[in-house]
Amino acid sequence: MGRKFDPTTKVKRGPGRKARKQKGAETELAKLLVDEDEPKKLSSRARKRAVKRAQGATASTEEKQPKKGFSDDNSEWLTPAKRKRKIDHSEGDEDSDSQWEEEEDDDEVKDKEEGEKEKVAADDDDDDDDDEMVDDYGAMEDSSEGEEQEEAGSDGEELLPIERAARKQKKRQEAAAQESEDEEDDDEEEEEDEKMDDDDEEEEEEEDTVQANIDHIDGFKLPSAKEREKEGLLPLDLQSIHQRIKDNVDLLSHFSEKREEGRERAEYLSLLKSDLCTYYSYNDFLMSNLMELFPLAELIDFLEANEVQRPVTIRTNTLKTRRRDLAQALINRGVNLDPLGKWSKVGLVIFDSSVPIGATPEYLAGHYMLQGASSLLPVMALSPQEGESVLDMSSAPGGKTTYMAQLMRNTGVIVANDASAERLKSVVGNIHRLGVTNTIICNYDGRQFPKVMGGFDRVLLDAPCSGTGVISKDPAVKTSKDNSDILRSAHLQKELILAAIDSVNADSQTGGYLVYCTCSITVEENEWVVDYALKKRNVKLVPTGLDFGKEGFTRFKERRFHPSLKLSRRFYPHSHNMDGFFVAKLKKFSNTIPTAPAEENEKASETETPATSEDKNSKPESKQQSKGTQGKARETKQQSKATSNSKTESPIAKKKPVVKGKKLKDEGPKKKLAKMDEQNSKEVKTKEKLKVLKVDKDITNESVTEKAEGSLLKKKTNKKNQKNLFQRRKNKMVKNKFKKLKNVLKQQEAGQ
Amino acid sequence: MRPLTDEETKTMFEKLSKYIGENIKLLVDRPDGTYCFRLHHDRVYYISEKILKLATNISRDKLVSVGTCFGKFTKTHKFRLHITALDFLAPYAKYKVWVKPGAEQSFLYGNHIMKSGLGRITENTAQYQGVVVYSMADVPLGFGVAAKTTQECRKVDPMAIVVFHQADVGEYIRNEDTLT
């Protein structure tokens, strides 16, 4: 069981390397939380101390300085941060060739600061609610609050929260020395501290060499075409290419100052692109795509992040166990883990493990699932409720499906579909292993789905994609994808998203939601697809409920998307330390499928609500027709309308040319309404039927002219022309029609 | 998908009763809705009636699994319990065996349980009685058949087999393809 604990050797204490591993979500959350908390942070004791401080402020300023340094072991890891900050300030004035390193330094400092902040926050939490901490860290917490406060009081001096934490830790360590129970943890921490030290040294060395390099090179010069040709023949020198990339990026970020005379930005960019392609071994297409997606500095971060693996994360199966118990069980097996982040209550990050994490008895008993952090997000966005029916359109290998089941506590129904029968085997295994009993697993092509089964409360569509967000998992993507691949998957995704929307029941009491997600970061597969769905179906984007991540694009190159697309969320490996991911949540607000031509739809979508406007148009009319109890009075009304307003035609004539298919559809609700209306006597119904018949006749008579009209309408783009033609024809038609109408009605009434 | 015939029901219930005895009726009459057994591709599935109705929408060749798979009928019309039924056997099990942490791994690789790995055993276990196997932390690991009675277990030498292995949760990894 590891090395024996030796109380004689003093061990460096601190957050260690692991404290800054999973920082994506926390950095954003920490800012928010800390800011909010700040006003109430002071405890009563702290307030007293503050008063004391204020009183003795003038006297003690000089004394304080030395005392503020941490008296215990922590001084060793806390002071370097300060020193670095100082260096930063001094370097800030130097020429910005060193900007590159500076950024790195900045990051480090930020990390450290975050570490401190988190520690402070954690400590505050400690004061407020000890229980929460216990929940997360299991047996870690054993010292009592009272002791701690006593200590603080006995010292009398102002103790920073971090100092208190350090003291506490020290005490714990002493206790451990006596019991020698928690050896492992200490050992691990020790090791990590050592590692960190090594890293620091390395970094310093690196800095030195880089500094030397910079001394040699005055400024970055663009190599001529000849030189570049030569380069192709010579063996590659990655070191120099890396240096050139750095310089090039630096130059491009201060282009107007540092450019060589007569050199275009495009030249620098093309050099940068080819360098990046060789250094990170991407193909030309993907690299240019990425360069359009990210600003330069971020691009490098992204590419670097793709070279390292994401941390292994697991999700607790709350159907069988609790996170606290699971963490304890795994720690006993020699696994080093931590909670995933504040945004997830079920996630754990695995740092290292002495046993294979995918084969522990706990895993086999279904207490947890190996699952990337990013794949928790779409399910959180979907937030399925108990008792609902949910469809997972492409479910393999079942991670998201089982998470949904766990959120629904095994109630309701989940239909887990996947197109590949081979991959479905893993779904079957995982679902049974995790004790999920409410699933139907089937093997359809997702595009057929609305025909198989519809009316789901929620649908999750994790569409098949090019996988540009998971390059660290599958580096083959770097070279294997080209434009046609992206477009092909975008096409499939568009088909799938329409099928998914059609499977949702908009009238659902609790749901009517669709979550679309991909593990790709290209715009073609994400925003473009969602934008397409917005145009084609009666859906709107709603907030995902995820409080971090970057907003989706509303404009990209020449494309302009619906402004609400900023409600979708993007996740990147470099900024959130999880796989690249896109999540959009859609709400379906009407079950009718708009059938009007595409142009009209586009116009409508610009005016925010495509279908509601149409519905408004159609519904009142149908109501008019069915509700009107005295057929005659209504007719006369319409007549008067028609005659008074030269533009409005009879309802039939008005509707027919614009939307042909619609008329047929509207008959459904119309009939229903007629049934529901109590005042409607049978007479009226028969009348209406007769009328409909008659109308049909009229239609057949006039269908030829109308068709001609329709085609004219389409062909002529000039609006004035259209109007004129339209009016002339209408005038003729109106006259004829109303004569006929009147005659028929008279006959009918006479007959009855 | 079809209901079981009388004969099939009989063979399956006989098998189940070896592990959970008369608790079988708790599986059939549940307070939280009607549950039933259905046969699909020779597999027996245990499903809530609500889900069953929805599952009828799916054509036979496209349906992979529904609810929980309990086991399968062999070509000779015997019933074989699968590890996937463990979730429903474990809470109702009448006879239990606990294995020591050291022997856990061995059992999860498909081996029988030796006397040396035996942690605890229910009193009055008869020979060839179906038992559910637990780890010492009360996590169900699988099931098997007692090779010796509780009395005999006390006397035998450490390397003697006390429980014959039938199924264990390691199968989720070892033969994922043939789970259903």
Side-chain angles (χ1 to χ4, degrees):
Chain A
M1 293 282 269
R3 283 179 288 164
K4 283 275 180 273
F5 179 75
D6 186 7
T8 55
T9 55
K10 289 232 166 184
V11 175
K12 281 168 231 156
R13 296 273 150 195
R17 267 179 80 75
K18 63 179 174 179
R20 57 181 161 125
K21 270 214 167 153
Q22 183 78 12
K23 62 174 178 179
E26 284 153 356
T27 46
E28 291 192 39
L29 272 176
K31 275 181 220 158
L32 291 173
L33 291 172
V34 168
D35 287 348
E36 278 170 11
D37 283 350
E38 231 146 27
K40 13 170 178 168
K41 216 154 82 180
L42 293 177
S43 65
S44 62
R45 214 164 270 277
R47 253 179 274 135
K48 274 182 206 164
R49 271 185 251 129
V51 172
K52 216 177 180 185
R53 210 178 299 147
Q55 283 171 348
T58 48
S60 63
T61 38
E62 288 153 60
E63 290 174 27
K64 245 188 203 171
Q65 288 304 341
K67 268 187 190 173
K68 259 205 167 175
F70 301 100
S71 51
D72 54 7
D73 309 324
N74 284 321
S75 55
E76 278 183 57
W77 63 271
L78 272 170
T79 38
K82 271 181 196 168
R83 198 184 64 221
K84 270 204 176 146
R85 219 173 299 162
K86 265 183 202 167
I87 289 167
D88 281 343
H89 286 306
S90 63
E91 271 181 3
D93 306 331
E94 285 176 20
D95 61 349
S96 44
D97 267 1
S98 58
Q99 185 222 10
W100 194 269
E101 295 91 277
E102 247 179 60
E103 274 179 7
E104 279 175 11
D105 276 0
D106 273 339
D107 279 356
E108 280 226 340
V109 171
K110 264 181 209 164
D111 284 352
K112 293 230 161 145
E113 280 171 352
E114 274 159 27
E116 284 175 75
K117 254 191 205 170
E118 273 172 16
K119 245 219 155 154
V120 170
D123 209 66
D124 286 334
D125 278 355
D126 237 358
D127 286 349
D128 297 336
D129 36 19
D130 229 60
D131 295 347
E132 223 167 84
M133 287 290 289
V134 171
D135 188 41
D136 278 346
Y137 298 108
M140 285 283 282
E141 217 62 26
D142 44 15
S143 67
S144 68
E145 244 179 275
E147 275 181 347
E148 180 195 321
Q149 293 215 340
E150 254 178 50
E151 257 189 339
S154 69
D155 271 307
E157 278 297 334
E158 53 277 2
L159 280 180
L160 290 178
I162 190 135
E163 263 183 294
R164 270 194 323 216
R167 259 165 209 279
K168 221 161 85 183
Q169 208 171 8
K170 208 176 176 186
K171 213 167 181 203
R172 210 183 297 136
Q173 186 193 348
E174 281 166 14
Q178 288 166 355
E179 293 179 27
S180 73
E181 274 248 285
D182 300 333
E183 284 170 26
E184 269 176 68
D185 286 344
D186 289 332
D187 275 358
E188 273 157 352
E189 271 174 77
E190 190 185 327
E191 277 169 20
E192 257 147 273
D193 283 351
E194 277 171 15
K195 257 190 227 162
M196 202 170 83
D197 276 7
D198 289 349
D199 281 2
D200 281 352
E201 278 166 31
E202 274 171 23
E203 266 164 39
E204 272 168 45
E205 276 174 23
E206 216 176 66
E207 233 170 71
D208 285 343
T209 54
V210 165
Q211 215 74 30
N213 275 348
I214 288 167
D215 288 341
H216 289 304
I217 304 164
D218 298 332
F220 172 61
K221 277 179 186 164
L222 203 65
S224 63
K226 266 189 183 177
E227 280 171 339
R228 289 183 67 178
E229 260 177 44
K230 234 194 251 173
E231 218 170 71
L233 301 172
L234 290 169
L236 283 173
D237 180 14
L238 283 182
Q239 201 72 45
S240 66
I241 287 182
H242 187 56
Q243 188 57 42
R244 195 161 70 183
I245 291 172
K246 277 183 178 181
D247 295 339
N248 205 342
V249 169
D250 177 50
L251 183 141
L252 283 166
S253 55
H254 303 90
F255 190 64
S256 55
E257 300 159 23
K258 300 196 171 180
R259 64 185 287 194
E260 277 177 74
E261 282 303 319
R263 295 291 195 153
E264 297 288 320
R265 193 179 180 93
E267 290 177 63
Y268 285 101
L269 279 175
S270 74
L271 173 67
L272 179 66
K273 191 164 101 181
S274 67
D275 279 353
L276 287 175
C277 282
T278 43
Y279 187 73
Y280 294 103
S281 60
Y282 282 72
N283 69 5
D284 204 44
F285 162 75
L286 191 57
M287 186 53 78
S288 50
N289 219 331
L290 292 174
M291 284 175 86
E292 285 157 2
L293 213 54
F294 296 111
L296 282 178
E298 215 181 326
L299 174 71
I300 308 287
D301 287 346
F302 174 78
L303 295 174
E304 283 293 342
N306 278 340
E307 301 301 311
V308 288
Q309 293 289 321
R310 302 277 79 76
V312 179
T313 52
I314 60 173
R315 170 178 60 81
T316 320
N317 180 20
T318 50
L319 293 173
K320 290 201 166 179
T321 184
R322 287 178 297 172
R323 181 164 79 166
R324 190 174 148 192
D325 299 342
L326 174 67
Q328 197 54 55
L330 287 179
I331 286 168
N332 288 343
R333 291 201 186 278
V335 180
N336 187 6
L337 47 76
D338 241 2
L340 177 53
K342 280 182 180 151
W343 52 273
S344 172
K345 284 188 176 157
V346 292
L348 289 167
V349 191
I350 310 288
F351 296 116
D352 54 61
S353 163
S354 51
V355 291
I357 208 70
T360 63
E362 278 76 24
Y363 177 83
L364 294 172
H367 288 186
Y368 65 91
M369 176 93 192
L370 270 171
Q371 194 172 16
S374 58
S375 68
L376 302 178
L377 300 171
V379 183
M380 289 166 71
L382 189 71
S383 67
Q385 306 295 310
E386 286 177 33
E388 283 184 334
S389 66
V390 182
L391 169 66
D392 188 352
M393 254 195 168
S394 36
S395 56
K400 295 185 193 71
T401 316
T402 47
Y403 189 23
M404 287 195 287
Q406 138 182 359
L407 289 179
M408 293 161 70
R409 293 162 191 266
N410 247 340
T411 61
V413 187
I414 298 176
V415 179
N417 181 60
D418 202 284
S420 148
E422 201 52 40
R423 280 161 66 80
L424 270 179
K425 283 173 180 163
S426 62
V427 182
V428 173
N430 281 325
I431 276 174
H432 282 98
R433 185 169 58 83
L434 297 183
V436 176
T437 55
N438 62 345
T439 46
I440 302 171
I441 305 172
C442 56
N443 178 25
Y444 282 99
D445 185 332
R447 288 170 287 188
Q448 307 167 345
F449 221 87
K451 286 176 201 159
V452 180
M453 211 193 273
F456 290 97
D457 293 320
R458 287 161 204 265
V459 174
L460 176 70
L461 174 57
D462 182 10
C465 63
S466 61
T468 48
V470 287
I471 294 174
S472 59
K473 263 188 203 164
D474 177 19
V477 175
K478 284 178 181 178
T479 48
S480 62
K481 299 292 173 196
D482 63 1
N483 198 23
S484 61
D485 289 318
I486 303 266
L487 291 179
R488 199 179 302 129
S489 65
H491 182 252
L492 176 62
Q493 283 157 354
K494 283 175 184 171
E495 287 177 311
L496 281 172
I497 198 173
L498 291 192
I501 291 171
D502 291 344
S503 322
V504 179
N505 178 18
D507 302 330
S508 155
Q509 291 288 317
T510 53
Y513 292 103
L514 162 81
V515 166
Y516 174 81
C517 61
T518 61
C519 57
S520 175
I521 52 168
T522 55
V523 173
E524 287 85 354
E525 293 175 88
N526 298 324
E527 280 87 352
W528 199 24
V529 175
V530 176
D531 191 58
Y532 173 83
L534 287 177
K535 281 174 185 161
K536 287 282 179 186
R537 291 290 186 274
N538 293 330
V539 289
K540 64 181 181 204
L541 273 162
V542 290
T544 52
L546 304 169
D547 45 6
F548 61 106
K550 296 196 169 146
E551 288 180 355
F553 293 105
T554 54
R555 43 187 297 176
F556 181 74
K557 279 163 54 180
E558 72 279 4
R559 294 202 186 98
R560 296 290 173 271
F561 303 121
H562 196 271
S564 65
L565 263 164
K566 69 171 191 295
L567 292 175
S568 60
R569 284 281 176 273
R570 286 173 155 267
F571 301 90
Y572 295 124
H574 57 282
S575 46
H576 303 101
N577 200 13
M578 51 176 80
D579 294 327
F581 221 73
F582 173 84
V583 180
K585 187 177 187 181
L586 299 157
K587 171 139 178 72
K588 188 174 178 183
F589 55 82
S590 163
N591 274 334
T592 54
I593 299 172
T595 48
E599 301 160 39
E600 206 176 279
N601 246 330
E602 270 167 39
K603 269 187 221 162
S605 68
E606 276 163 27
T607 59
E608 195 67 43
T609 48
T612 40
S613 58
E614 276 172 44
D615 283 353
K616 272 175 198 165
N617 283 345
S618 59
K619 269 184 187 170
E621 273 171 51
S622 57
K623 270 182 195 168
Q624 258 187 19
Q625 288 185 1
S626 56
K627 262 192 185 173
T629 44
Q630 289 97 25
K632 216 188 172 185
R634 185 168 43 79
E635 228 95 292
T636 50
K637 246 191 200 172
Q638 282 183 349
Q639 276 176 21
S640 63
K641 250 192 202 171
T643 44
S644 67
N645 195 349
S646 61
K647 266 190 184 175
T648 52
E649 320 84 39
S650 82
I652 316 124
K654 185 182 171 185
K655 280 185 105 187
K656 268 299 138 188
V658 189
V659 257
K660 269 206 162 181
K662 246 207 145 181
K663 177 77 192 173
L664 293 170
K665 279 208 167 166
D666 281 353
E667 275 178 13
K670 214 192 292 170
K671 274 178 191 166
K672 270 184 201 165
L673 279 170
K675 271 182 200 168
M676 283 161 66
D677 207 332
E678 289 173 9
Q679 290 176 317
N680 259 346
S681 61
K682 272 194 176 178
E683 266 182 85
V684 181
K685 267 186 198 169
T686 48
K687 256 188 212 172
E688 275 191 349
K689 271 183 191 171
L690 280 170
K691 200 187 74 197
V692 170
L693 279 175
K694 174 216 66 196
V695 165
D696 284 346
K697 266 184 196 170
D698 283 0
I699 290 166
T700 48
N701 287 341
E702 289 162 15
S703 61
V704 184
T705 55
E706 274 172 13
K707 268 182 191 170
E709 203 180 79
S711 61
L712 267 174
L713 270 172
K714 275 182 188 172
K715 278 175 189 170
K716 298 270 175 180
T717 45
N718 193 332
K719 273 192 178 177
K720 273 194 178 179
N721 277 351
Q722 269 185 6
K723 258 189 189 171
N724 287 341
L725 263 175
F726 208 59
Q727 247 167 325
R728 250 183 279 153
R729 283 189 177 249
K730 280 293 114 72
N731 286 342
K732 275 183 202 168
M733 267 170 46
V734 166
K735 273 181 196 169
N736 290 337
K737 260 191 191 169
F738 277 103
K739 273 181 190 171
K740 271 185 190 174
L741 264 173
K742 266 187 183 176
N743 286 336
V744 174
L745 278 171
K746 271 178 191 173
Q747 281 171 9
Q748 279 174 15
E749 269 166 39
Q752 282 174 352
Chain B
M1 196 154 54
R2 63 168 173 82
L4 302 178
T5 62
D6 286 345
E7 201 180 326
E8 284 163 345
T9 316
K10 205 178 142 225
T11 37
M12 192 192 75
F13 276 25
E14 264 171 20
K15 183 70 122 185
L16 273 180
S17 66
K18 281 181 183 162
Y19 298 90
I20 58 177
E22 66 272 21
N23 287 339
I24 271 187
K25 64 174 183 288
L26 296 176
L27 279 182
V28 186
D29 313 322
R30 281 173 58 151
D32 57 337
T34 352
Y35 279 71
C36 49
F37 292 96
R38 282 290 180 279
L39 191 77
H40 175 69
H41 286 312
D42 277 342
R43 262 78 176 166
V44 178
Y45 292 93
Y46 178 66
I47 330 158
S48 150
E49 205 139 65
K50 254 190 330 196
I51 295 172
L52 178 69
K53 262 181 210 155
L54 272 171
T56 50
N57 290 330
I58 291 162
S59 63
R60 199 187 308 168
D61 54 332
K62 296 285 187 189
L63 184 67
V64 177
S65 158
V66 55
T68 309
C69 177
F70 259 52
K72 72 167 184 184
F73 280 101
T74 60
K75 295 271 193 310
T76 50
H77 302 293
K78 283 174 192 144
F79 184 70
R80 178 165 296 165
L81 269 175
H82 279 167
I83 185 61
T84 47
L86 184 66
D87 275 339
F88 291 94
L89 295 187
Y92 304 120
K94 305 214 78 176
Y95 295 94
K96 303 177 183 181
V97 166
W98 286 264
V99 294
K100 288 178 184 165
E104 249 174 47
Q105 208 66 16
S106 160
F107 179 70
L108 291 181
Y109 278 96
N111 300 318
H112 304 304
I113 300 175
M114 309 284 184
K115 166 78 198 317
S116 58
L118 186 68
R120 274 166 74 192
I121 186 165
T122 315
E123 282 295 316
N124 304 325
T125 309
Q127 198 174 21
Y128 307 132
Q129 165 72 45
V131 291
V132 174
V133 179
Y134 289 79
S135 75
M136 290 311 273
D138 268 338
V139 177
L141 296 178
F143 47 87
V145 167
K148 305 259 185 331
T149 63
T150 313
Q151 300 301 326
E152 284 168 351
C153 280
R154 297 203 174 116
K155 293 171 208 159
V156 294
D157 65 317
M159 293 315 284
I161 293 168
V162 287
V163 176
F164 294 122
H165 167 274
Q166 280 186 333
D168 66 273
V169 287
E171 284 171 34
Y172 282 120
I173 294 181
R174 290 208 305 276
N175 30 12
E176 190 177 55
D177 293 354
T178 52
L179 274 178
T180 57

